[in-house]
Amino acid sequence: MKRQFLYAKSYLTRLFGLKADDLQIDFEPVTFGHCLNVPETLHHAGIKYYYYCRGHNNDRHHLYRWMAPSGRFG
């Protein structure tokens, strides 16, 4: 997954003329499960922000900071 992010960053920097540091968000519009270590993986790929869409749930907060078991944030 980390390698895929690095390839994507390389491609997008060439395509749009951006700096790799400008690409710090991962957007996954439809996901149906997440590994506990996603924040750790994103951190190692240089991703600071993670956005995903999930159905509305009144029992949970809509904005939160996800922490991996290692203590890394995503």
Side-chain angles (χ1 to χ4, degrees), residues 39-61:
E40 177 94 21
T41 304
L42 296 176
H43 171 81
H44 288 296
I47 304 295
K48 289 186 177 183
Y49 307 99
Y50 179 61
Y51 177 81
Y52 67 94
C53 297
R54 181 62 58 92
H56 188 346
N57 185 346
N58 290 330
D59 297 334
R60 297 181 182 240
H61 297 288

mmCIF file with all atom_site columns, all heavy atoms in Angstrom, residues 39-61:
data_model
loop_
_atom_site.group_PDB
_atom_site.id
_atom_site.type_symbol
_atom_site.label_atom_id
_atom_site.label_alt_id
_atom_site.label_comp_id
_atom_site.label_asym_id
_atom_site.label_entity_id
_atom_site.label_seq_id
_atom_site.pdbx_PDB_ins_code
_atom_site.Cartn_x
_atom_site.Cartn_y
_atom_site.Cartn_z
_atom_site.occupancy
_atom_site.B_iso_or_equiv
_atom_site.pdbx_formal_charge
_atom_site.auth_seq_id
_atom_site.auth_comp_id
_atom_site.auth_asym_id
_atom_site.auth_atom_id
_atom_site.pdbx_PDB_model_num
ATOM 1   N N   . PRO A 1 39 ? -3.472  4.033  9.492  1.00 0.00 ? 39 PRO A N   1
ATOM 2   C CA  . PRO A 1 39 ? -2.791  5.294  9.806  1.00 0.00 ? 39 PRO A CA  1
ATOM 3   C C   . PRO A 1 39 ? -1.262  5.167  9.767  1.00 0.00 ? 39 PRO A C   1
ATOM 4   O O   . PRO A 1 39 ? -0.571  6.079  9.313  1.00 0.00 ? 39 PRO A O   1
ATOM 5   C CB  . PRO A 1 39 ? -3.267  5.624  11.224 1.00 0.00 ? 39 PRO A CB  1
ATOM 6   C CG  . PRO A 1 39 ? -4.560  4.919  11.362 1.00 0.00 ? 39 PRO A CG  1
ATOM 7   C CD  . PRO A 1 39 ? -4.406  3.656  10.566 1.00 0.00 ? 39 PRO A CD  1
ATOM 8   N N   . GLU A 1 40 ? -0.739  4.062  10.220 1.00 0.00 ? 40 GLU A N   1
ATOM 9   C CA  . GLU A 1 40 ? 0.713   3.824  10.191 1.00 0.00 ? 40 GLU A CA  1
ATOM 10  C C   . GLU A 1 40 ? 1.226   3.786  8.754  1.00 0.00 ? 40 GLU A C   1
ATOM 11  O O   . GLU A 1 40 ? 2.215   4.419  8.409  1.00 0.00 ? 40 GLU A O   1
ATOM 12  C CB  . GLU A 1 40 ? 1.024   2.504  10.885 1.00 0.00 ? 40 GLU A CB  1
ATOM 13  C CG  . GLU A 1 40 ? 2.472   2.114  10.854 1.00 0.00 ? 40 GLU A CG  1
ATOM 14  C CD  . GLU A 1 40 ? 3.219   2.567  12.088 1.00 0.00 ? 40 GLU A CD  1
ATOM 15  O OE1 . GLU A 1 40 ? 2.580   2.822  13.112 1.00 0.00 ? 40 GLU A OE1 1
ATOM 16  O OE2 . GLU A 1 40 ? 4.440   2.661  12.001 1.00 0.00 ? 40 GLU A OE2 1
ATOM 17  N N   . THR A 1 41 ? 0.522   3.056  7.901  1.00 0.00 ? 41 THR A N   1
ATOM 18  C CA  . THR A 1 41 ? 0.914   2.944  6.498  1.00 0.00 ? 41 THR A CA  1
ATOM 19  C C   . THR A 1 41 ? 0.855   4.303  5.814  1.00 0.00 ? 41 THR A C   1
ATOM 20  O O   . THR A 1 41 ? 1.772   4.681  5.079  1.00 0.00 ? 41 THR A O   1
ATOM 21  C CB  . THR A 1 41 ? -0.003  1.952  5.763  1.00 0.00 ? 41 THR A CB  1
ATOM 22  O OG1 . THR A 1 41 ? 0.032   0.702  6.457  1.00 0.00 ? 41 THR A OG1 1
ATOM 23  C CG2 . THR A 1 41 ? 0.418   1.757  4.327  1.00 0.00 ? 41 THR A CG2 1
ATOM 24  N N   . LEU A 1 42 ? -0.211  5.043  6.049  1.00 0.00 ? 42 LEU A N   1
ATOM 25  C CA  . LEU A 1 42 ? -0.341  6.369  5.452  1.00 0.00 ? 42 LEU A CA  1
ATOM 26  C C   . LEU A 1 42 ? 0.773   7.293  5.921  1.00 0.00 ? 42 LEU A C   1
ATOM 27  O O   . LEU A 1 42 ? 1.327   8.062  5.134  1.00 0.00 ? 42 LEU A O   1
ATOM 28  C CB  . LEU A 1 42 ? -1.704  6.969  5.788  1.00 0.00 ? 42 LEU A CB  1
ATOM 29  C CG  . LEU A 1 42 ? -2.919  6.240  5.234  1.00 0.00 ? 42 LEU A CG  1
ATOM 30  C CD1 . LEU A 1 42 ? -4.194  6.894  5.717  1.00 0.00 ? 42 LEU A CD1 1
ATOM 31  C CD2 . LEU A 1 42 ? -2.877  6.175  3.732  1.00 0.00 ? 42 LEU A CD2 1
ATOM 32  N N   . HIS A 1 43 ? 1.101   7.217  7.198  1.00 0.00 ? 43 HIS A N   1
ATOM 33  C CA  . HIS A 1 43 ? 2.179   8.047  7.744  1.00 0.00 ? 43 HIS A CA  1
ATOM 34  C C   . HIS A 1 43 ? 3.496   7.784  7.008  1.00 0.00 ? 43 HIS A C   1
ATOM 35  O O   . HIS A 1 43 ? 4.202   8.705  6.622  1.00 0.00 ? 43 HIS A O   1
ATOM 36  C CB  . HIS A 1 43 ? 2.346   7.780  9.239  1.00 0.00 ? 43 HIS A CB  1
ATOM 37  C CG  . HIS A 1 43 ? 3.552   8.421  9.821  1.00 0.00 ? 43 HIS A CG  1
ATOM 38  N ND1 . HIS A 1 43 ? 3.569   9.754  10.173 1.00 0.00 ? 43 HIS A ND1 1
ATOM 39  C CD2 . HIS A 1 43 ? 4.785   7.938  10.083 1.00 0.00 ? 43 HIS A CD2 1
ATOM 40  C CE1 . HIS A 1 43 ? 4.782   10.052 10.626 1.00 0.00 ? 43 HIS A CE1 1
ATOM 41  N NE2 . HIS A 1 43 ? 5.522   8.960  10.587 1.00 0.00 ? 43 HIS A NE2 1
ATOM 42  N N   . HIS A 1 44 ? 3.818   6.525  6.804  1.00 0.00 ? 44 HIS A N   1
ATOM 43  C CA  . HIS A 1 44 ? 5.071   6.176  6.135  1.00 0.00 ? 44 HIS A CA  1
ATOM 44  C C   . HIS A 1 44 ? 5.080   6.574  4.662  1.00 0.00 ? 44 HIS A C   1
ATOM 45  O O   . HIS A 1 44 ? 6.151   6.719  4.071  1.00 0.00 ? 44 HIS A O   1
ATOM 46  C CB  . HIS A 1 44 ? 5.360   4.681  6.280  1.00 0.00 ? 44 HIS A CB  1
ATOM 47  C CG  . HIS A 1 44 ? 5.765   4.302  7.661  1.00 0.00 ? 44 HIS A CG  1
ATOM 48  N ND1 . HIS A 1 44 ? 6.915   4.767  8.261  1.00 0.00 ? 44 HIS A ND1 1
ATOM 49  C CD2 . HIS A 1 44 ? 5.159   3.523  8.579  1.00 0.00 ? 44 HIS A CD2 1
ATOM 50  C CE1 . HIS A 1 44 ? 7.010   4.287  9.475  1.00 0.00 ? 44 HIS A CE1 1
ATOM 51  N NE2 . HIS A 1 44 ? 5.946   3.523  9.703  1.00 0.00 ? 44 HIS A NE2 1
ATOM 52  N N   . ALA A 1 45 ? 3.913   6.758  4.083  1.00 0.00 ? 45 ALA A N   1
ATOM 53  C CA  . ALA A 1 45 ? 3.828   7.194  2.685  1.00 0.00 ? 45 ALA A CA  1
ATOM 54  C C   . ALA A 1 45 ? 3.753   8.715  2.569  1.00 0.00 ? 45 ALA A C   1
ATOM 55  O O   . ALA A 1 45 ? 3.614   9.244  1.482  1.00 0.00 ? 45 ALA A O   1
ATOM 56  C CB  . ALA A 1 45 ? 2.613   6.559  2.021  1.00 0.00 ? 45 ALA A CB  1
ATOM 57  N N   . GLY A 1 46 ? 3.829   9.414  3.713  1.00 0.00 ? 46 GLY A N   1
ATOM 58  C CA  . GLY A 1 46 ? 3.782   10.873 3.683  1.00 0.00 ? 46 GLY A CA  1
ATOM 59  C C   . GLY A 1 46 ? 2.382   11.451 3.620  1.00 0.00 ? 46 GLY A C   1
ATOM 60  O O   . GLY A 1 46 ? 2.199   12.622 3.320  1.00 0.00 ? 46 GLY A O   1
ATOM 61  N N   . ILE A 1 47 ? 1.380   10.638 3.922  1.00 0.00 ? 47 ILE A N   1
ATOM 62  C CA  . ILE A 1 47 ? -0.011  11.089 3.904  1.00 0.00 ? 47 ILE A CA  1
ATOM 63  C C   . ILE A 1 47 ? -0.368  11.596 5.297  1.00 0.00 ? 47 ILE A C   1
ATOM 64  O O   . ILE A 1 47 ? -0.184  10.898 6.287  1.00 0.00 ? 47 ILE A O   1
ATOM 65  C CB  . ILE A 1 47 ? -0.966  9.936  3.517  1.00 0.00 ? 47 ILE A CB  1
ATOM 66  C CG1 . ILE A 1 47 ? -0.570  9.320  2.181  1.00 0.00 ? 47 ILE A CG1 1
ATOM 67  C CG2 . ILE A 1 47 ? -2.410  10.398 3.510  1.00 0.00 ? 47 ILE A CG2 1
ATOM 68  C CD1 . ILE A 1 47 ? -0.696  10.229 1.004  1.00 0.00 ? 47 ILE A CD1 1
ATOM 69  N N   . LYS A 1 48 ? -0.888  12.824 5.369  1.00 0.00 ? 48 LYS A N   1
ATOM 70  C CA  . LYS A 1 48 ? -1.275  13.396 6.659  1.00 0.00 ? 48 LYS A CA  1
ATOM 71  C C   . LYS A 1 48 ? -2.769  13.326 6.921  1.00 0.00 ? 48 LYS A C   1
ATOM 72  O O   . LYS A 1 48 ? -3.213  13.331 8.061  1.00 0.00 ? 48 LYS A O   1
ATOM 73  C CB  . LYS A 1 48 ? -0.844  14.862 6.736  1.00 0.00 ? 48 LYS A CB  1
ATOM 74  C CG  . LYS A 1 48 ? 0.632   15.055 6.859  1.00 0.00 ? 48 LYS A CG  1
ATOM 75  C CD  . LYS A 1 48 ? 0.955   16.505 7.076  1.00 0.00 ? 48 LYS A CD  1
ATOM 76  C CE  . LYS A 1 48 ? 2.441   16.693 7.274  1.00 0.00 ? 48 LYS A CE  1
ATOM 77  N NZ  . LYS A 1 48 ? 2.771   18.088 7.547  1.00 0.00 ? 48 LYS A NZ  1
ATOM 78  N N   . TYR A 1 49 ? -3.567  13.281 5.856  1.00 0.00 ? 49 TYR A N   1
ATOM 79  C CA  . TYR A 1 49 ? -5.015  13.340 5.999  1.00 0.00 ? 49 TYR A CA  1
ATOM 80  C C   . TYR A 1 49 ? -5.654  12.172 5.256  1.00 0.00 ? 49 TYR A C   1
ATOM 81  O O   . TYR A 1 49 ? -5.264  11.850 4.144  1.00 0.00 ? 49 TYR A O   1
ATOM 82  C CB  . TYR A 1 49 ? -5.549  14.660 5.447  1.00 0.00 ? 49 TYR A CB  1
ATOM 83  C CG  . TYR A 1 49 ? -4.844  15.854 6.040  1.00 0.00 ? 49 TYR A CG  1
ATOM 84  C CD1 . TYR A 1 49 ? -3.826  16.484 5.337  1.00 0.00 ? 49 TYR A CD1 1
ATOM 85  C CD2 . TYR A 1 49 ? -5.171  16.314 7.305  1.00 0.00 ? 49 TYR A CD2 1
ATOM 86  C CE1 . TYR A 1 49 ? -3.153  17.561 5.879  1.00 0.00 ? 49 TYR A CE1 1
ATOM 87  C CE2 . TYR A 1 49 ? -4.507  17.394 7.857  1.00 0.00 ? 49 TYR A CE2 1
ATOM 88  C CZ  . TYR A 1 49 ? -3.498  18.020 7.137  1.00 0.00 ? 49 TYR A CZ  1
ATOM 89  O OH  . TYR A 1 49 ? -2.837  19.067 7.670  1.00 0.00 ? 49 TYR A OH  1
ATOM 90  N N   . TYR A 1 50 ? -6.653  11.580 5.873  1.00 0.00 ? 50 TYR A N   1
ATOM 91  C CA  . TYR A 1 50 ? -7.346  10.436 5.297  1.00 0.00 ? 50 TYR A CA  1
ATOM 92  C C   . TYR A 1 50 ? -8.835  10.725 5.324  1.00 0.00 ? 50 TYR A C   1
ATOM 93  O O   . TYR A 1 50 ? -9.404  11.007 6.376  1.00 0.00 ? 50 TYR A O   1
ATOM 94  C CB  . TYR A 1 50 ? -7.020  9.184  6.107  1.00 0.00 ? 50 TYR A CB  1
ATOM 95  C CG  . TYR A 1 50 ? -7.688  7.923  5.632  1.00 0.00 ? 50 TYR A CG  1
ATOM 96  C CD1 . TYR A 1 50 ? -7.449  7.428  4.362  1.00 0.00 ? 50 TYR A CD1 1
ATOM 97  C CD2 . TYR A 1 50 ? -8.537  7.210  6.454  1.00 0.00 ? 50 TYR A CD2 1
ATOM 98  C CE1 . TYR A 1 50 ? -8.042  6.260  3.922  1.00 0.00 ? 50 TYR A CE1 1
ATOM 99  C CE2 . TYR A 1 50 ? -9.124  6.035  6.032  1.00 0.00 ? 50 TYR A CE2 1
ATOM 100 C CZ  . TYR A 1 50 ? -8.874  5.569  4.764  1.00 0.00 ? 50 TYR A CZ  1
ATOM 101 O OH  . TYR A 1 50 ? -9.456  4.407  4.330  1.00 0.00 ? 50 TYR A OH  1
ATOM 102 N N   . TYR A 1 51 ? -9.460  10.665 4.172  1.00 0.00 ? 51 TYR A N   1
ATOM 103 C CA  . TYR A 1 51 ? -10.888 10.919 4.074  1.00 0.00 ? 51 TYR A CA  1
ATOM 104 C C   . TYR A 1 51 ? -11.559 9.715  3.443  1.00 0.00 ? 51 TYR A C   1
ATOM 105 O O   . TYR A 1 51 ? -11.120 9.233  2.402  1.00 0.00 ? 51 TYR A O   1
ATOM 106 C CB  . TYR A 1 51 ? -11.138 12.167 3.217  1.00 0.00 ? 51 TYR A CB  1
ATOM 107 C CG  . TYR A 1 51 ? -12.598 12.457 2.998  1.00 0.00 ? 51 TYR A CG  1
ATOM 108 C CD1 . TYR A 1 51 ? -13.331 13.109 3.978  1.00 0.00 ? 51 TYR A CD1 1
ATOM 109 C CD2 . TYR A 1 51 ? -13.238 12.045 1.846  1.00 0.00 ? 51 TYR A CD2 1
ATOM 110 C CE1 . TYR A 1 51 ? -14.679 13.355 3.799  1.00 0.00 ? 51 TYR A CE1 1
ATOM 111 C CE2 . TYR A 1 51 ? -14.587 12.284 1.653  1.00 0.00 ? 51 TYR A CE2 1
ATOM 112 C CZ  . TYR A 1 51 ? -15.297 12.941 2.641  1.00 0.00 ? 51 TYR A CZ  1
ATOM 113 O OH  . TYR A 1 51 ? -16.626 13.175 2.468  1.00 0.00 ? 51 TYR A OH  1
ATOM 114 N N   . TYR A 1 52 ? -12.593 9.234  4.071  1.00 0.00 ? 52 TYR A N   1
ATOM 115 C CA  . TYR A 1 52 ? -13.376 8.161  3.473  1.00 0.00 ? 52 TYR A CA  1
ATOM 116 C C   . TYR A 1 52 ? -14.844 8.402  3.777  1.00 0.00 ? 52 TYR A C   1
ATOM 117 O O   . TYR A 1 52 ? -15.191 9.080  4.733  1.00 0.00 ? 52 TYR A O   1
ATOM 118 C CB  . TYR A 1 52 ? -12.930 6.777  3.949  1.00 0.00 ? 52 TYR A CB  1
ATOM 119 C CG  . TYR A 1 52 ? -13.189 6.491  5.407  1.00 0.00 ? 52 TYR A CG  1
ATOM 120 C CD1 . TYR A 1 52 ? -14.346 5.838  5.800  1.00 0.00 ? 52 TYR A CD1 1
ATOM 121 C CD2 . TYR A 1 52 ? -12.282 6.856  6.384  1.00 0.00 ? 52 TYR A CD2 1
ATOM 122 C CE1 . TYR A 1 52 ? -14.595 5.560  7.129  1.00 0.00 ? 52 TYR A CE1 1
ATOM 123 C CE2 . TYR A 1 52 ? -12.514 6.580  7.718  1.00 0.00 ? 52 TYR A CE2 1
ATOM 124 C CZ  . TYR A 1 52 ? -13.670 5.936  8.088  1.00 0.00 ? 52 TYR A CZ  1
ATOM 125 O OH  . TYR A 1 52 ? -13.911 5.672  9.399  1.00 0.00 ? 52 TYR A OH  1
ATOM 126 N N   . CYS A 1 53 ? -15.686 7.868  2.942  1.00 0.00 ? 53 CYS A N   1
ATOM 127 C CA  . CYS A 1 53 ? -17.134 8.031  3.095  1.00 0.00 ? 53 CYS A CA  1
ATOM 128 C C   . CYS A 1 53 ? -17.706 6.776  3.730  1.00 0.00 ? 53 CYS A C   1
ATOM 129 O O   . CYS A 1 53 ? -17.369 5.675  3.345  1.00 0.00 ? 53 CYS A O   1
ATOM 130 C CB  . CYS A 1 53 ? -17.792 8.252  1.742  1.00 0.00 ? 53 CYS A CB  1
ATOM 131 S SG  . CYS A 1 53 ? -17.261 9.744  0.934  1.00 0.00 ? 53 CYS A SG  1
ATOM 132 N N   . ARG A 1 54 ? -18.537 6.979  4.667  1.00 0.00 ? 54 ARG A N   1
ATOM 133 C CA  . ARG A 1 54 ? -19.193 5.875  5.350  1.00 0.00 ? 54 ARG A CA  1
ATOM 134 C C   . ARG A 1 54 ? -20.627 6.316  5.619  1.00 0.00 ? 54 ARG A C   1
ATOM 135 O O   . ARG A 1 54 ? -20.893 7.493  5.809  1.00 0.00 ? 54 ARG A O   1
ATOM 136 C CB  . ARG A 1 54 ? -18.453 5.610  6.658  1.00 0.00 ? 54 ARG A CB  1
ATOM 137 C CG  . ARG A 1 54 ? -18.935 4.490  7.519  1.00 0.00 ? 54 ARG A CG  1
ATOM 138 C CD  . ARG A 1 54 ? -18.855 3.106  6.895  1.00 0.00 ? 54 ARG A CD  1
ATOM 139 N NE  . ARG A 1 54 ? -17.576 2.646  6.471  1.00 0.00 ? 54 ARG A NE  1
ATOM 140 C CZ  . ARG A 1 54 ? -16.727 1.934  7.186  1.00 0.00 ? 54 ARG A CZ  1
ATOM 141 N NH1 . ARG A 1 54 ? -16.987 1.634  8.417  1.00 0.00 ? 54 ARG A NH1 1
ATOM 142 N NH2 . ARG A 1 54 ? -15.606 1.525  6.645  1.00 0.00 ? 54 ARG A NH2 1
ATOM 143 N N   . GLY A 1 55 ? -21.532 5.391  5.666  1.00 0.00 ? 55 GLY A N   1
ATOM 144 C CA  . GLY A 1 55 ? -22.928 5.723  5.932  1.00 0.00 ? 55 GLY A CA  1
ATOM 145 C C   . GLY A 1 55 ? -23.096 6.441  7.264  1.00 0.00 ? 55 GLY A C   1
ATOM 146 O O   . GLY A 1 55 ? -22.271 6.334  8.163  1.00 0.00 ? 55 GLY A O   1
ATOM 147 N N   . HIS A 1 56 ? -24.149 7.160  7.406  1.00 0.00 ? 56 HIS A N   1
ATOM 148 C CA  . HIS A 1 56 ? -24.423 7.954  8.606  1.00 0.00 ? 56 HIS A CA  1
ATOM 149 C C   . HIS A 1 56 ? -24.707 7.037  9.799  1.00 0.00 ? 56 HIS A C   1
ATOM 150 O O   . HIS A 1 56 ? -25.468 6.089  9.697  1.00 0.00 ? 56 HIS A O   1
ATOM 151 C CB  . HIS A 1 56 ? -25.619 8.856  8.345  1.00 0.00 ? 56 HIS A CB  1
ATOM 152 C CG  . HIS A 1 56 ? -25.895 9.842  9.417  1.00 0.00 ? 56 HIS A CG  1
ATOM 153 N ND1 . HIS A 1 56 ? -25.345 9.793  10.663 1.00 0.00 ? 56 HIS A ND1 1
ATOM 154 C CD2 . HIS A 1 56 ? -26.671 10.947 9.419  1.00 0.00 ? 56 HIS A CD2 1
ATOM 155 C CE1 . HIS A 1 56 ? -25.791 10.804 11.389 1.00 0.00 ? 56 HIS A CE1 1
ATOM 156 N NE2 . HIS A 1 56 ? -26.586 11.515 10.648 1.00 0.00 ? 56 HIS A NE2 1
ATOM 157 N N   . ASN A 1 57 ? -24.081 7.326  10.919 1.00 0.00 ? 57 ASN A N   1
ATOM 158 C CA  . ASN A 1 57 ? -24.295 6.562  12.145 1.00 0.00 ? 57 ASN A CA  1
ATOM 159 C C   . ASN A 1 57 ? -24.451 7.561  13.284 1.00 0.00 ? 57 ASN A C   1
ATOM 160 O O   . ASN A 1 57 ? -23.510 8.258  13.638 1.00 0.00 ? 57 ASN A O   1
ATOM 161 C CB  . ASN A 1 57 ? -23.108 5.622  12.392 1.00 0.00 ? 57 ASN A CB  1
ATOM 162 C CG  . ASN A 1 57 ? -23.334 4.726  13.582 1.00 0.00 ? 57 ASN A CG  1
ATOM 163 O OD1 . ASN A 1 57 ? -24.242 4.959  14.384 1.00 0.00 ? 57 ASN A OD1 1
ATOM 164 N ND2 . ASN A 1 57 ? -22.528 3.703  13.712 1.00 0.00 ? 57 ASN A ND2 1
ATOM 165 N N   . ASN A 1 58 ? -25.619 7.622  13.893 1.00 0.00 ? 58 ASN A N   1
ATOM 166 C CA  . ASN A 1 58 ? -25.886 8.606  14.957 1.00 0.00 ? 58 ASN A CA  1
ATOM 167 C C   . ASN A 1 58 ? -25.112 8.333  16.239 1.00 0.00 ? 58 ASN A C   1
ATOM 168 O O   . ASN A 1 58 ? -25.017 9.197  17.096 1.00 0.00 ? 58 ASN A O   1
ATOM 169 C CB  . ASN A 1 58 ? -27.378 8.646  15.262 1.00 0.00 ? 58 ASN A CB  1
ATOM 170 C CG  . ASN A 1 58 ? -28.172 9.265  14.145 1.00 0.00 ? 58 ASN A CG  1
ATOM 171 O OD1 . ASN A 1 58 ? -27.674 10.134 13.429 1.00 0.00 ? 58 ASN A OD1 1
ATOM 172 N ND2 . ASN A 1 58 ? -29.403 8.826  13.970 1.00 0.00 ? 58 ASN A ND2 1
ATOM 173 N N   . ASP A 1 59 ? -24.567 7.135  16.397 1.00 0.00 ? 59 ASP A N   1
ATOM 174 C CA  . ASP A 1 59 ? -23.880 6.790  17.635 1.00 0.00 ? 59 ASP A CA  1
ATOM 175 C C   . ASP A 1 59 ? -22.412 7.194  17.645 1.00 0.00 ? 59 ASP A C   1
ATOM 176 O O   . ASP A 1 59 ? -21.744 7.050  18.645 1.00 0.00 ? 59 ASP A O   1
ATOM 177 C CB  . ASP A 1 59 ? -23.961 5.279  17.881 1.00 0.00 ? 59 ASP A CB  1
ATOM 178 C CG  . ASP A 1 59 ? -25.389 4.825  18.073 1.00 0.00 ? 59 ASP A CG  1
ATOM 179 O OD1 . ASP A 1 59 ? -26.222 5.653  18.499 1.00 0.00 ? 59 ASP A OD1 1
ATOM 180 O OD2 . ASP A 1 59 ? -25.674 3.652  17.795 1.00 0.00 ? 59 ASP A OD2 1
ATOM 181 N N   . ARG A 1 60 ? -21.886 7.662  16.534 1.00 0.00 ? 60 ARG A N   1
ATOM 182 C CA  . ARG A 1 60 ? -20.457 7.976  16.446 1.00 0.00 ? 60 ARG A CA  1
ATOM 183 C C   . ARG A 1 60 ? -20.235 9.418  16.025 1.00 0.00 ? 60 ARG A C   1
ATOM 184 O O   . ARG A 1 60 ? -21.063 10.026 15.381 1.00 0.00 ? 60 ARG A O   1
ATOM 185 C CB  . ARG A 1 60 ? -19.770 7.057  15.451 1.00 0.00 ? 60 ARG A CB  1
ATOM 186 C CG  . ARG A 1 60 ? -19.826 5.612  15.871 1.00 0.00 ? 60 ARG A CG  1
ATOM 187 C CD  . ARG A 1 60 ? -19.099 4.777  14.862 1.00 0.00 ? 60 ARG A CD  1
ATOM 188 N NE  . ARG A 1 60 ? -19.213 3.386  15.251 1.00 0.00 ? 60 ARG A NE  1
ATOM 189 C CZ  . ARG A 1 60 ? -18.182 2.628  15.518 1.00 0.00 ? 60 ARG A CZ  1
ATOM 190 N NH1 . ARG A 1 60 ? -16.983 3.097  15.429 1.00 0.00 ? 60 ARG A NH1 1
ATOM 191 N NH2 . ARG A 1 60 ? -18.352 1.380  15.865 1.00 0.00 ? 60 ARG A NH2 1
ATOM 192 N N   . HIS A 1 61 ? -19.076 9.917  16.376 1.00 0.00 ? 61 HIS A N   1
ATOM 193 C CA  . HIS A 1 61 ? -18.688 11.255 15.929 1.00 0.00 ? 61 HIS A CA  1
ATOM 194 C C   . HIS A 1 61 ? -18.383 11.215 14.441 1.00 0.00 ? 61 HIS A C   1
ATOM 195 O O   . HIS A 1 61 ? -17.915 10.214 13.910 1.00 0.00 ? 61 HIS A O   1
ATOM 196 C CB  . HIS A 1 61 ? -17.458 11.729 16.696 1.00 0.00 ? 61 HIS A CB  1
ATOM 197 C CG  . HIS A 1 61 ? -17.699 11.869 18.154 1.00 0.00 ? 61 HIS A CG  1
ATOM 198 N ND1 . HIS A 1 61 ? -18.467 12.873 18.681 1.00 0.00 ? 61 HIS A ND1 1
ATOM 199 C CD2 . HIS A 1 61 ? -17.295 11.121 19.194 1.00 0.00 ? 61 HIS A CD2 1
ATOM 200 C CE1 . HIS A 1 61 ? -18.513 12.749 19.981 1.00 0.00 ? 61 HIS A CE1 1
ATOM 201 N NE2 . HIS A 1 61 ? -17.814 11.678 20.327 1.00 0.00 ? 61 HIS A NE2 1
#
